[in-house]
Amino acid sequence: MRFAPELKSFALCDSLHMPHVKKRYAVRAGVVTDQESYTPDIDSRFDMRIAGVNHFTWMLKAEFDGENVMPKIAESIREQAATEDTGGDVGAKAIFNNAIAHQLYEAFGYVPVCVSHTKEYVSFYQGHGVLEEIVPPLKIWETEARYDRHEAMWNQVDDFVTRKVPIGQFMEVMGPDHATDIIENMVGNLGQPFYVNSPNRGAVTNMSDDAFLELLCDVDMNGPVPRPVGEMPRGIRGMQEVVLDTHELTAEAVAKCDYGLLRRAMLTDPLVNSIADADAILKELLEHEKEVLPECWR
């Protein structure tokens, strides 16, 4: 199978699957009572636009029959936030996500979509404030639990590779996958849109065409074509550009094997608030990774 050169310039994101995300927010907006009630007619009347750096995405528009339903979505999130510390998943990735989503909505006027990661992009939940906050500081991820989870994943892959588990059971065990859904759509020319990471190409009108963003795209064998979004609001756009600068500087540092650029990338990151700490982190990281790094980094 041969793919167009354009396909080398996009990547999958694991946060948004187009049909599912619209259904979920349609329920929050009160457009439908449940996801099973969501129809193609409802879909055509629900104009929802999401964009941003990977996992730092925001709902920039949500209109049903021309009515702005984003306040209703935000209110649903606020109501759910009232009970999210009374049970359920309280791990670092999930805890207080609704409270954070509503607080960011109140601050910026738009709903963050991938809150479990968006909260890691902003500096408000790092515990550096003087006064007590409504939302407590982020928890450190449960590292050992994630190591165990990843080991189980690799063991599952090995079981399929070694035929310990027949490949015929793959779909039964794993179910549909975002990547395979996109491949099926491309090869079958099914015409379904997907959220993927792609060069902006004018979708967000006030950001550069080469900004690498998570966008709703039509994807076929010729590559992704982002659907129009409109402008990225001020404030949110500034945060997006800082993250993009961090990415660009990191990539340039790697390409040029330039420690000065790597240090600049680290200091550009919105979560870094100490030059001394940044230098110490980079020194320790390069020391631990020296055996697998190119000679120029040693």
Side-chain angles (χ1 to χ4, degrees), residues 176-197:
D177 176 81
H178 196 45
T180 55
D181 286 348
I182 293 176
I183 293 171
E184 179 186 34
N185 176 74
M186 292 163 59
V187 175
N189 196 29
L190 303 182
Q192 296 181 8
F194 290 88
Y195 285 97
V196 298
N197 293 305

Side-chain angles (χ1 to χ4, degrees), residues 220-235:
D220 60 19
M221 296 295 284
N222 294 312
V225 178
R227 292 189 175 186
V229 174
E231 289 193 349
M232 185 70 68
R234 287 191 180 276

Side-chain angles (χ1 to χ4, degrees), residues 84 90-101 103-104 114-129 133-142 271:
E84 67 182 336
V90 293
K93 189 172 182 178
I95 193 167
F96 296 117
N97 282 355
N98 289 295
I100 289 172
Q103 192 175 58
L104 292 176
C114 189
V115 187
S116 59
H117 291 292
T118 290
K119 65 187 181 184
E120 300 168 337
Y121 276 103
V122 296
S123 58
F124 313 123
Y125 307 107
Q126 301 300 311
H128 299 306
E133 299 279 359
I134 297 174
V135 178
L138 295 180
K139 295 171 58 178
I140 300 297
W141 278 38
E142 301 82 3
L271 300 186

Side-chain angles (χ1 to χ4, degrees):
M1 184 184 302
R2 299 185 64 185
F3 296 97
E6 292 86 348
L7 295 183
K8 298 178 181 178
S9 63
F10 84 101
L12 303 184
C13 50
D14 61 14
S15 58
L16 299 176
H17 192 290
M18 173 58 181
H20 298 162
V21 72
K22 285 194 77 175
K23 290 178 181 179
R24 186 166 71 246
Y25 283 111
V27 173
R28 284 195 178 276
V31 170
V32 292
T33 55
D34 54 68
Q35 294 192 27
E36 288 68 32
S37 304
Y38 194 82
T39 64
D41 175 64
I42 295 290
D43 184 76
S44 67
R45 296 155 59 191
F46 187 22
D47 186 1
M48 187 182 70
R49 305 188 188 189
I50 294 171
V53 174
N54 182 55
H55 288 171
F56 193 29
T57 50
W58 298 71
M59 184 182 299
L60 305 181
K61 185 177 183 180
E63 293 184 357
F64 185 71
D65 286 341
E67 176 193 355
N68 179 20
V69 295
M70 198 177 303
K72 294 179 180 179
I73 292 172
E75 176 60 18
S76 170
I77 293 171
R78 187 195 66 79
E79 291 174 356
Q80 193 169 351
T83 59
E84 67 182 336
D85 61 344
T86 60
D89 190 348
V90 293
K93 189 172 182 178
I95 193 167
F96 296 117
N97 282 355
N98 289 295
I100 289 172
H102 190 264
Q103 192 175 58
L104 292 176
Y105 167 76
E106 285 189 316
F108 294 99
Y110 298 88
V111 172
V113 175
C114 189
V115 187
S116 59
H117 291 292
T118 290
K119 65 187 181 184
E120 300 168 337
Y121 276 103
V122 296
S123 58
F124 313 123
Y125 307 107
Q126 301 300 311
H128 299 306
V130 175
L131 301 178
E132 184 177 357
E133 299 279 359
I134 297 174
V135 178
L138 295 180
K139 295 171 58 178
I140 300 297
W141 278 38
E142 301 82 3
T143 308
E144 295 304 321
R146 291 189 67 83
Y147 286 159
D148 292 342
R149 178 184 174 191
H150 291 167
E151 182 179 5
M153 290 176 177
W154 281 114
N155 289 336
Q156 189 176 50
V157 170
D158 289 340
D159 286 347
F160 281 114
V161 172
T162 61
R163 300 184 181 181
K164 182 178 179 180
V165 177
I167 194 64
Q169 296 181 18
F170 181 84
M171 291 301 295
E172 178 184 341
V173 173
M174 303 301 296
D177 176 81
H178 196 45
T180 55
D181 286 348
I182 293 176
I183 293 171
E184 179 186 34
N185 176 74
M186 292 163 59
V187 175
N189 196 29
L190 303 182
Q192 296 181 8
F194 290 88
Y195 285 97
V196 298
N197 293 305
S198 167
N200 178 33
R201 297 174 183 164
V204 178
T205 54
N206 59 345
M207 296 183 71
S208 62
D209 286 348
D210 64 350
F212 210 63
L213 303 175
E214 190 171 337
L215 300 164
L216 182 61
C217 296
D218 294 301
V219 187
D220 60 19
M221 296 295 284
N222 294 312
V225 178
R227 292 189 175 186
V229 174
E231 289 193 349
M232 185 70 68
R234 287 191 180 276
I236 297 177
R237 186 183 70 175
M239 293 189 291
Q240 299 282 333
E241 295 289 0
V242 169
V243 175
L244 288 170
D245 280 355
T246 305
H247 292 174
E248 292 279 355
L249 284 167
T250 303
E252 186 178 0
V254 171
K256 295 181 177 179
C257 210
D258 187 325
Y259 178 82
L261 287 175
L262 184 65
R263 183 173 187 255
R264 189 180 305 170
M266 186 76 166
L267 296 176
T268 302
D269 189 286
L271 300 186
V272 174
N273 52 37
S274 165
I275 293 177
D277 287 352
D279 286 338
I281 291 170
L282 285 177
K283 180 180 178 180
E284 183 177 342
L285 177 65
L286 293 174
E287 175 64 27
H288 281 296
E289 301 290 341
K290 65 182 180 181
E291 297 301 322
V292 295
L293 289 173
E295 186 67 31
C296 62
W297 289 106
R298 299 176 189 175

